[in-house]
Amino acid sequence: MSKSDSYEDIVKTRREENFAEFQDEDHGFMHRVQHTLHVTPALVPLIVLVISIIVFGALLGSRFFSPFALTLILQQVQIVGIVAAAQSLIILTAGIDLSVGAITVISSVVMGQMTFRYGIPPAISIVIGLAFGTLCGALNGLLISRMKLPPFIVTLGTWQIILASNYLYSRNETIRAQDIETTAPLLQFMGTKFQIGGAVFTFGVVFMIVLMLLMAWILRHTAWGRHVYAVGDDPEAAQLSGVNVKATIMSVYMIAGLICAFAGWALIGRLGSVSPTSAYEANIESITAVVIGGISLFGGRGSILGALFGALIVGVFTLGLRLLGADAQWTYFFIGVLIIAAVAVDQWIRKVSA
């Protein structure tokens, strides 16, 4: 072998080693990205939210980048955000609830009717409405956890039952805002506004944020929260490790029903009135917020704060495109793209981590 041949062999060998090292580094980088997204699932929707705010702020200037406009987004998404907290708990257990919107509405109707039809004090009416929402959630949980029925089918059925009951019980009548304001202002409490600087908040917005933070802490730092993730990840393994799967699922649906009832109280504050036809899109909007928020539809992975970011992303696009004068259909278009992208990212994380 000549010296030149030896040199060429050495160069070729080193190039191959460098290429292999580059591949290892590239794989290592992708693994770190995957690991970061896996342990911090709310990171992707947070990044999307920040970028969306920056883009619309650059396009609209002070019309969008103002305390009033940004807090207006919070006011607009407060109902969806609260309902999304309930939906998040259920999806974390690999379930789904199509009845959350109906539970929200009928809980608000019960609060109103208890006060105005039966003359019950507003505070007690609110408690009855909260209890009724919890009962609706318990019905879902009973059918799913004890009778082993699919969550989609069960909640599709209870959605129709609750929706029909709502119209029958309310007689399709709306309780006017003026009547509530003069007779039972406590029903409108969640809609009470207060100002901090140029920002305008409502107690409904405060409740949404506190609820999300509280549920995030509970899911992360309590045994019950770990059980919720375990059931969503692998119910059989969770059962073998000592988790009471039936009780966990039952509790999740009951808590979700209670949260939806709180959303019903906030709905009265948001509208000022009690309307049996309101919040009819809460089912789809809550699922949209959860999916965009990075919570896996397969269960067992995600952060409830991601659902809050998902709801805010929808609010940012809705307000931003409206201020730009764009057709409302573009909002649905971009939200649809975000939903598909969120599911694709979730699948990518699962594929890389496999």
Side-chain angles (χ1 to χ4, degrees):
M1 183 180 296
S2 64
K3 292 183 178 180
S4 59
D5 290 339
S6 299
Y7 177 77
E8 289 175 357
D9 290 340
I10 292 172
V11 171
K12 182 179 180 181
T13 301
R14 288 182 176 176
R15 284 178 178 174
E16 290 175 350
E17 290 176 349
N18 290 337
F19 180 72
E21 183 179 353
F22 174 79
Q23 284 186 316
D24 291 339
E25 290 178 355
D26 184 62
H27 174 75
F29 173 76
M30 297 305 295
H31 179 74
R32 287 194 296 272
V33 171
Q34 179 273 331
H35 179 71
T36 301
L37 296 180
H38 182 75
V39 299
T40 317
L43 185 60
V44 173
L46 178 59
I47 293 172
V48 173
L49 175 62
V50 172
I51 292 174
S52 303
I53 293 174
I54 292 173
V55 170
F56 282 113
L59 293 173
L60 295 166
S62 59
R63 293 172 60 198
F64 184 85
F65 248 148
S66 66
F68 176 79
L70 294 178
T71 51
L72 178 62
I73 294 171
L74 286 171
Q75 293 182 42
Q76 291 176 338
V77 305
Q78 60 182 303
I79 307 302
V80 174
I82 297 171
V83 176
Q87 191 73 262
S88 297
L89 291 177
I90 293 167
I91 290 180
L92 283 173
T93 63
I96 197 165
D97 193 343
L98 300 179
S99 67
V100 288
I103 295 175
T104 297
V105 178
I106 199 169
S107 297
S108 69
V109 167
V110 167
M111 293 176 189
Q113 293 295 334
M114 287 291 147
T115 301
F116 287 89
R117 184 183 297 180
Y118 305 111
I120 297 175
I124 298 177
S125 297
I126 291 170
V127 172
I128 294 174
L130 297 176
F132 187 82
T134 306
L135 182 63
C136 291
L139 174 62
N140 287 332
L142 182 65
L143 294 172
I144 293 166
S145 65
R146 303 293 175 178
M147 299 184 66
K148 304 291 187 180
L149 299 179
F152 182 88
I153 301 301
V154 168
T155 57
L156 179 64
T158 55
W159 169 46
Q160 299 286 350
I161 293 170
I162 295 171
L163 198 63
S165 301
N166 169 51
Y167 289 125
L168 292 171
Y169 176 65
S170 66
R171 302 169 186 169
N172 207 17
E173 297 176 350
T174 298
I175 302 174
R176 299 182 306 169
Q178 297 89 335
D179 296 334
I180 298 175
E181 187 175 353
T182 56
T183 307
L186 184 61
L187 294 178
Q188 298 175 334
F189 171 76
M190 289 286 201
T192 304
K193 296 181 179 180
F194 61 94
Q195 191 167 342
I196 301 177
V200 180
F201 297 91
T202 66
F203 286 110
V205 169
V206 174
F207 177 81
M208 174 187 70
I209 296 173
V210 171
L211 173 67
M212 287 291 192
L213 293 175
L214 177 63
M215 294 308 302
W217 185 88
I218 290 174
L219 288 170
R220 187 177 180 86
H221 297 286
T222 67
W224 180 81
R226 291 189 289 272
H227 291 173
V228 170
Y229 279 101
V231 169
D233 187 49
D234 191 335
E236 293 182 0
Q239 186 74 47
L240 292 174
S241 63
V243 176
N244 190 331
V245 174
K246 292 181 180 179
T248 300
I249 293 176
M250 186 72 181
S251 65
V252 163
Y253 279 90
M254 289 181 67
I255 293 172
L258 175 62
I259 293 174
C260 289
F262 272 108
W265 186 15
L267 181 64
I268 299 175
R270 177 64 180 163
L271 300 177
S273 60
V274 176
S275 173
T277 60
S278 57
Y280 61 93
E281 292 182 340
N283 298 336
I284 299 300
E285 290 177 345
S286 66
I287 296 172
T288 299
V290 170
V291 173
I292 294 177
I295 296 178
S296 175
L297 288 173
F298 299 98
R301 193 180 66 82
S303 169
I304 198 168
L305 291 178
L308 174 60
F309 298 146
L312 291 173
I313 289 170
V314 175
V316 167
F317 271 84
T318 302
L319 180 62
L321 292 173
R322 185 182 304 168
L323 291 175
L324 286 172
D327 192 293
Q329 300 306 319
W330 282 107
T331 302
Y332 296 107
F333 176 86
F334 285 116
I335 297 305
V337 171
L338 287 174
I339 291 173
I340 296 173
V343 174
V345 169
D346 177 63
Q347 291 286 1
W348 175 77
I349 293 174
R350 286 177 173 272
K351 181 179 179 180
V352 174
S353 60

